[in-house]
Amino acid sequence: PCRYSSAALLRGPHAPRLSPRPTRGFCHPPGTWLLYLPCTWSIGLAAEPGCLPDWQMLSLFGVGAVLMRGAGCTINDMWDRDYDKKVVRTASRPLAAGDISTFQSFAFLGGQLSLALCVLLCLNYYSIVLGAASLSLVVTYPLMKRITYWPQLVLGLTFNWGALLGWSAIKGSCEWSVCLPLYFAGVMWTLVYDTIYAHQDKKDDIIIGVKSTALQFKEYTKQWLSGFSLAMLLSLCMAGMNCNQTFPYYSAVAAVGAHLAHQIYTLDIDKPEDCWRKFASNRTVGVLLFTGIVLGNL
C-alpha cells in the first residue's frame, strides 16, 4: 500500500519540511507503462503491412516490463537506502525502514531477474544478447544522480531499450534506420517526463546532495523540454519514413506533439502536484503513438 511518513518523527522538529508524495508501486503504475510503451512501438512498427502487432509478443514484453521495472526499483532502493531515510516519501520503503535486510533484498532481486531471464529466453538469440546487454544500464543508472546533473539521460537510455528489442524479437535483428531514430525519440521523451518528475524532488535533492536535470535547467526548464520534444517528433518522423508508415502514423505524431506542447505550456515546475499530473499523463503520449502505428500499418 502507499504510505506517508511523519517528517517530525523521521527528521526531527527543526528539519526542513519535505512534501510527502505516494510511494511507487502498483498503486502508481506510470513507470511500468513508460517502460513498456517503447516496446509496443517497436513491435507495432515491425508488423507486416496490413497486419496487427503480434499480441503474444506484446503480452510477453508486458510481463517483462513488469519484472524489469520491479528489478530496477529494487536495485534503486538498494543503492539509495541511506538517501531514502532522509526523504519523507521514501523513508517507509522496506530497506530504508529496516523492514528487510540487504541479503533479503539480494534474494528478492535474484528472483525478479530469474523470472525476467525466463521471459528473455523465449526470444531469438539476437534478442537474448541484445536484452542481456541492457543489464549494465539497469544496474548503474541509479548511481548517476550522484555524479552528473544528467541522470535522466541515462534513465532514457535504459528505459527505451525495448525500442530496439521489440523489433529484433519480431524480425530477428535490428533495422537500425528505424530502431535508432525510435530509440532516440524515446530517450528524448524520457528527458521530458523525468525532468518534470524531478521537479517534485528538487528541494529534497538539494538537501541530500543529489543531482538532476531539474536542478540543472532551473527556470529554463520549459525551453529545454521544448527542444527535447522537437527532437522526439523529428526522430519519430524519420523512423516512420524509414519503414514506410502512412497518414494515421503521422497524425498520431502530430497529436503527440500537441499533447507535449500542452504539457509544457501549462506546467508549473514549483507545484509538485502539477508535476505529478503532467508526468503521469505521458502514458497518453505513448498510447497515442502506438495507436497511430497500428492504424498506419492497417
Side-chain angles (χ1 to χ4, degrees):
C2 293
R3 295 180 293 174
Y4 295 100
S5 303
S6 165
L9 289 174
L10 290 169
R11 297 176 57 82
H14 304 295
R17 181 174 179 83
L18 305 180
S19 301
R21 292 200 311 279
T23 58
R24 61 175 173 243
F26 281 108
C27 48
H28 286 286
T32 303
W33 276 103
L34 296 173
L35 179 62
Y36 176 56
L37 283 164
C39 306
T40 69
W41 302 345
S42 191
I43 293 169
L45 286 174
E48 293 298 322
C51 297
L52 291 169
D54 187 327
W55 68 269
Q56 291 180 318
M57 202 61 72
L58 288 172
S59 300
L60 192 66
F61 272 74
V63 173
V66 171
L67 291 170
M68 287 308 297
R69 170 63 176 156
C73 289
T74 302
I75 292 168
N76 187 76
D77 288 359
M78 291 168 69
W79 282 121
D80 287 355
R81 58 186 180 274
D82 293 331
Y83 286 137
D84 287 346
K85 295 174 184 178
K86 302 174 184 178
V87 179
V88 172
R89 72 178 182 90
T90 59
S92 60
R93 290 177 179 172
L95 266 171
D99 294 336
I100 64 173
S101 67
T102 301
F103 174 79
Q104 288 173 316
S105 64
F106 268 113
F108 183 62
L109 176 62
Q112 290 174 304
L113 292 177
S114 297
L115 291 172
L117 178 61
C118 292
V119 173
L120 188 61
L121 291 175
C122 295
L123 306 181
N124 55 62
Y125 289 121
Y126 184 99
S127 299
I128 291 171
V129 174
L130 184 63
S134 69
L135 192 58
S136 59
L137 285 170
V138 174
V139 172
T140 58
Y141 86 80
L143 292 173
M144 293 299 108
K145 58 180 168 285
R146 294 163 168 79
I147 62 176
T148 177
Y149 280 99
W150 290 82
Q152 281 71 26
L153 176 60
V154 183
L155 180 66
L157 296 172
T158 307
F159 249 51
N160 292 282
W161 203 260
L164 308 176
L165 196 57
W167 184 284
S168 73
I170 300 295
K171 298 289 193 180
S173 64
C174 283
E175 174 58 56
W176 295 111
S177 65
V178 178
C179 293
L180 281 182
L182 188 66
Y183 181 56
F184 182 77
V187 174
M188 293 297 102
W189 183 41
T190 302
L191 279 165
V192 172
Y193 66 67
D194 208 56
T195 297
I196 293 172
Y197 184 90
H199 270 286
Q200 299 175 104
D201 281 339
K202 58 190 175 185
K203 293 180 181 178
D204 299 359
D205 289 346
I206 292 170
I207 293 169
I208 63 179
V210 298
K211 302 174 175 67
S212 71
T213 48
L215 296 178
Q216 176 73 12
F217 301 157
K218 299 178 182 176
E219 68 272 17
Y220 299 106
T221 290
K222 291 190 176 185
Q223 291 91 320
W224 280 94
L225 297 186
S226 299
F228 296 144
S229 298
L230 180 59
M232 176 190 179
L233 297 173
L234 292 174
S235 298
L236 289 174
C237 289
M238 183 182 298
M241 288 187 290
N242 289 339
C243 63
N244 300 313
Q245 268 292 338
T246 57
F247 177 74
Y249 173 83
Y250 296 104
S251 298
V253 171
V256 164
H259 192 290
L260 291 173
H262 180 263
Q263 269 191 64
I264 295 167
Y265 181 74
T266 60
L267 174 66
D268 188 336
I269 60 174
D270 295 318
K271 289 186 178 179
E273 299 82 3
D274 186 58
C275 290
W276 172 260
R277 285 193 298 269
K278 297 297 193 304
F279 164 76
S281 74
N282 277 277
R283 179 171 60 180
T284 302
V285 170
V287 172
L288 278 173
L289 185 59
F290 176 65
T291 303
I293 290 169
V294 173
L295 294 177
N297 269 3
L298 294 177

